[in-house]
Amino acid sequence: MKNKKIILTVINDLNFDQRMIRICTSLANAGYDVELVGRSHKNSKPLSKKSFQQKRFAIGPDKGKMMYLLFWIRLFFYLLFQKADALCAIDLDTILPVYFVSRIRRIKRVYDAHELFTEMQEVVTRPREKKMWDWIEKVTVPNFPVGYTIGECYADVFREKYDVQYSIVRNATILRPFSIPPKPDKYILYQGAVNVGRCFEFLIPAMQHIEMPLIICGAGNFYDEAVMLTKQYKLEHKITFKGYVPPQELKTITEKAWVGITLFEAVGPSNRLSMANRFFDYMHSGVPQLCMAYPEYERVNANFELAYLIEEPNIDNIAKALSTLIYDESYHRKLQDNAMKAREVYNWQEEEIRLLKVYENLFA
């Protein structure tokens, strides 16, 4: 597949997107000429060197309709004049430029659906925005017959709505030799976007009843509110916000965690049917986790019980679950051992095979 160039597009900073780093590295190792295009932020750090090309656009506004519009225009004209054999839109927020350029230039296009974008909480709770994203999805997705998504539930939705057969490429972590380290300083870890719908309004007050500290690694649209909630409940001594953490540092923090947090509110189907990156990161570090009893997690837990699943995210349920994970040592050990077994089945080496098959078929 040498000389086949693939340009993949995201709207976020590239340094912290572990999923896209894995995907692009796998494609580059398979012999493709790969470029990942994204957006820089005010405090973006220089791009770290990778086995693939990287490009970021500096756009004035950090959020809102104007940010999207300016990014789409910039991305459209960039893609229009770049040599490429295929364009891949990652999620709905980059799909329009990819769709129009691929049609104008008559080159192949792929959709990487990391989210059910129109069903995200941030969208379904804002009727005007949802109407816009629904229109974009209806115009574009049926014209992306080739694509992949992160789980069986999402694939079912796309098949039912748009009659497209998307492959499943989970966001699983790369399998590496690993043994669980000593954990003298026990802590609870949340890693990932600090966004609306991630249950911080329940998790933070639940920490009043938990003695173990909580570390939050990440940033997002609920970050300031989460910090305010921590101050409101006078939990600054117990909850630490680290913001964005480089992948290698985050890996070390995760490996030493006692409990991991994977919580979502089911305000929209995107959350209820999701399969979060952090779920696999905790798994590969042998970290038992508190997780929602949603279909994808239930499916894994039925094979390897590695998480305490709760039906409803509220303060009492979270506090009870964390207490069990912290103080029931035999239960904690069982989940830990099962996570170490599960990582042999759910890993990037297995998912990579399906990813490469998508592109092999695309260029066949």
Side-chain angles (χ1 to χ4, degrees), residues 127-141:
R128 288 185 179 180
E129 281 75 6
K130 178 162 174 55
K131 187 175 181 180
M132 178 189 76
W133 290 114
D134 279 337
W135 178 84
I136 292 172
E137 184 180 80
K138 288 173 184 175
V139 167
T140 57
V141 172

Side-chain angles (χ1 to χ4, degrees), residues 176 178 245-256 285:
R176 295 186 174 95
F178 174 73
V245 176
Q248 194 55 43
E249 182 183 344
L250 181 61
K251 181 174 177 290
T252 301
I253 294 172
T254 303
E255 289 173 353
K256 295 181 179 179
S285 294

Side-chain angles (χ1 to χ4, degrees), residues 155-170:
D156 290 343
V157 171
F158 285 111
R159 184 175 60 253
E160 291 166 9
K161 285 181 74 174
Y162 299 114
D163 196 28
V164 289
Q165 302 285 339
Y166 285 171
S167 301
I168 296 167
V169 180
R170 297 180 183 88

Side-chain angles (χ1 to χ4, degrees), residues 54 108 110-111 152 207 213 248-250 258 271 306 344:
Q54 300 174 89
K108 299 178 185 297
V110 179
Y111 186 38
E152 293 176 34
M207 289 300 298
Q248 194 55 43
E249 182 183 344
L250 181 61
W258 191 252
N271 280 354
L306 50 81
E344 301 289 335

Side-chain angles (χ1 to χ4, degrees), residues 12-168:
N12 52 311
D13 197 323
L14 307 183
N15 275 328
F16 303 101
D17 197 331
Q18 295 186 66
R19 175 173 178 269
M20 291 313 303
I21 292 170
R22 280 196 293 267
I23 287 173
C24 292
T25 300
S26 292
L27 291 173
N29 289 344
Y32 296 101
D33 181 2
V34 179
E35 181 177 359
L36 180 61
V37 180
R39 179 173 66 94
S40 63
H41 302 265
K42 290 179 181 177
N43 299 317
S44 287
K45 295 182 179 179
L47 289 168
S48 55
K49 190 174 182 180
K50 298 289 187 295
S51 61
F52 52 89
Q53 301 170 62
Q54 300 174 89
K55 173 74 176 179
R56 290 189 302 196
F57 301 131
I59 304 296
D62 277 339
K63 56 186 177 180
K65 293 185 179 67
M66 186 56 66
M67 181 274 291
Y68 281 113
L69 180 60
L70 293 174
F71 181 78
W72 290 343
I73 292 170
R74 188 81 179 272
L75 181 60
F76 172 83
F77 284 106
Y78 180 77
L79 296 177
L80 192 62
F81 298 104
Q82 294 300 305
K83 177 187 177 298
D85 297 287
L87 304 177
C88 179
I90 285 78
D91 288 327
L92 210 61
D93 47 10
T94 69
I95 203 169
L96 276 178
V98 168
Y99 175 57
F100 290 130
V101 171
S102 64
R103 291 201 63 173
I104 291 169
R105 298 184 56 192
R106 297 183 181 180
I107 57 179
K108 299 178 185 297
R109 55 181 173 268
V110 179
Y111 186 38
D112 177 342
H114 187 210
E115 305 276 3
L116 292 180
F117 201 94
T118 62
E119 303 299 338
M120 293 168 58
Q121 181 170 346
E122 302 95 311
V123 176
V124 297
T125 55
R126 304 165 73 186
R128 288 185 179 180
E129 281 75 6
K130 178 162 174 55
K131 187 175 181 180
M132 178 189 76
W133 290 114
D134 279 337
W135 178 84
I136 292 172
E137 184 180 80
K138 288 173 184 175
V139 167
T140 57
V141 172
N143 294 296
F144 279 74
V146 178
Y148 47 95
T149 188
I150 52 86
E152 293 176 34
C153 292
Y154 280 12
D156 290 343
V157 171
F158 285 111
R159 184 175 60 253
E160 291 166 9
K161 285 181 74 174
Y162 299 114
D163 196 28
V164 289
Q165 302 285 339
Y166 285 171
S167 301
I168 296 167

